[in-house]
Amino acid sequence: MKQDIRKNKRLQIPQLSSEQKLLYRKIVFLLAAGFCLTPWASPPIALMLGILLALTHENPFDRISRPAAKYLLEASVIMLGFGMNLAVVLKAGASGALFAVGSISATFILGYFLGKWLKIPIKASALISAGTAICGGSAIAAVSSVINAAESEISVAMGTVFVLNAVALFVFPPLGHVLHLTQAQFGTWSGVAIHDISSVVGAASHYGQSALYTATAVKLSRGLWIVPISAAASYIFQRQQAKSGDIIHKPQVPWFIGLFILASVVRTFIPEVASWSPVVTHISETGLTLTLFLIGAGLSQRMLKAVGWKPMLQGVLLWIFISATSLGVILLVVR
């Protein structure tokens, strides 16, 4: 009996202290982040790796990685501008602008009626519509600041858009090949129908260099709509805010889009820049891959629990609507 007890004691695995567990999580996180900087990591792999770590180990650098993902994304997009000729940016932006007015307006109108039908709180419904119509989390953050949305409403919208944005990164490239879309068609479609710029770039980069440039220009041109949409949302909700005594904030301006255009101008008119733009573009794409990892690692179980079936249904229906209608128009107009 005593020998059995001693044997069992030897087989017992020592329990790690809280400090040791935290150190283990940090090491795993940093190793995964380092892998995302290697040529073996692709945008979908990086996003999935971040999500798996978030759900199994939690993010030990949560307070740092969230703002880091935001600034790394903006810096990577600006650097991507050094690889794009201004004519390409203007052409792609102009073609995307043709879809912007109609698709954004239709998405908000449909989102309003879906929200009423599903009995979703009006602010949460408006944030889901904004994230789908414009540019995902950036639009949600901007609009939520001017309508004073509650944290729970922001979490619902962010969680809904995050899940669909992750799905798009895996679904769109295979669909593009099945439909035999050209580089220009796929780039335009991605820029219109995928929520966040990070997944837009991730999906388009898998499809081709031309698709990447087109998708980036189209998405960033839609991102400029953050300002007028935020102003409109502020005006619509200001009566309610005035009654409750809430402070009305100014819309957040996406300044990095202007820097992206400036980088493209420099690339176009200074010939020397073109010689080293491929290196900058590679750094940008690597930064965007790491950004997707950080975004995936920012997913929390609290955010997932906040998303009920009704907000998710609204997000899915809006996404199907904007994806199908934009694809139909693109097939007719873009070659």
Side-chain angles (χ1 to χ4, degrees), residues 109-122 125 314:
I109 293 171
L110 179 59
Y112 172 76
F113 286 108
L114 284 174
K116 289 194 70 175
W117 174 53
L118 295 169
K119 297 181 180 178
I120 300 172
I122 188 169
S125 177
Q314 179 187 359

Side-chain angles (χ1 to χ4, degrees), residues 31-292:
L31 287 174
F35 170 76
C36 293
L37 299 176
T38 68
W40 299 289
S42 64
I45 291 175
L47 179 63
M48 185 57 66
L49 186 59
I51 293 174
L52 287 175
L53 281 181
L55 297 179
T56 58
H57 288 72
E58 296 184 355
N59 186 350
F61 301 102
D62 187 57
R63 293 185 179 179
I64 301 173
S65 63
R66 289 179 183 274
K70 175 180 180 295
Y71 292 121
L72 181 59
L73 172 63
E74 293 177 354
S76 299
V77 169
I78 293 169
M79 285 191 292
L80 197 61
F82 284 106
M84 299 179 64
N85 189 283
L86 183 62
V88 175
V89 175
L90 295 177
K91 182 180 178 180
S95 63
L98 296 175
F99 298 107
V101 177
S103 61
I104 291 174
S105 301
T107 301
F108 271 100
I109 293 171
L110 179 59
Y112 172 76
F113 286 108
L114 284 174
K116 289 194 70 175
W117 174 53
L118 295 169
K119 297 181 180 178
I120 300 172
I122 188 169
K123 288 185 179 180
S125 177
L127 292 178
I128 293 172
S129 298
T132 305
I134 310 173
C135 54
S138 300
I140 291 173
V143 174
S144 65
S145 68
V146 299
I147 67 175
N148 288 329
E151 183 67 30
S152 59
E153 294 169 323
I154 298 173
S155 295
V156 166
M158 285 287 192
T160 301
V161 168
F162 180 93
V163 172
L164 298 179
N165 191 55
V167 171
L169 182 59
F170 295 94
V171 170
F172 267 61
L175 273 178
H177 288 297
V178 169
L179 296 170
H180 303 290
L181 299 182
T182 65
Q183 297 275 319
Q185 287 173 333
F186 184 83
T188 306
W189 188 39
S190 298
V192 173
I194 299 180
H195 302 79
D196 276 310
I197 180 65
S198 55
S199 284
V200 168
V201 172
S205 63
H206 260 290
Y207 209 81
Q209 195 76 10
S210 179
L212 170 62
Y213 291 159
T214 301
T216 304
V218 170
K219 195 62 184 180
L220 293 181
S221 68
R222 291 179 75 85
L224 294 173
W225 284 84
I226 286 178
V227 177
I229 292 298
S230 297
S234 176
Y235 175 78
I236 293 171
F237 285 92
Q238 67 181 345
R239 292 183 180 180
Q240 180 182 349
Q241 292 173 340
K243 290 179 181 179
S244 61
D246 290 337
I247 299 173
I248 301 174
H249 301 279
K250 293 181 178 180
Q252 299 178 10
V253 180
W255 296 110
F256 76 98
I257 297 178
L259 294 177
F260 164 82
I261 297 173
L262 180 60
S264 179
V265 171
V266 172
R267 158 68 173 77
T268 304
F269 294 103
I270 301 180
E272 291 78 9
V273 175
S275 61
W276 50 264
S277 63
V279 177
V280 179
T281 300
H282 175 71
I283 295 173
S284 171
E285 292 174 354
T286 303
L288 287 164
T289 301
L290 180 59
T291 298
L292 283 167

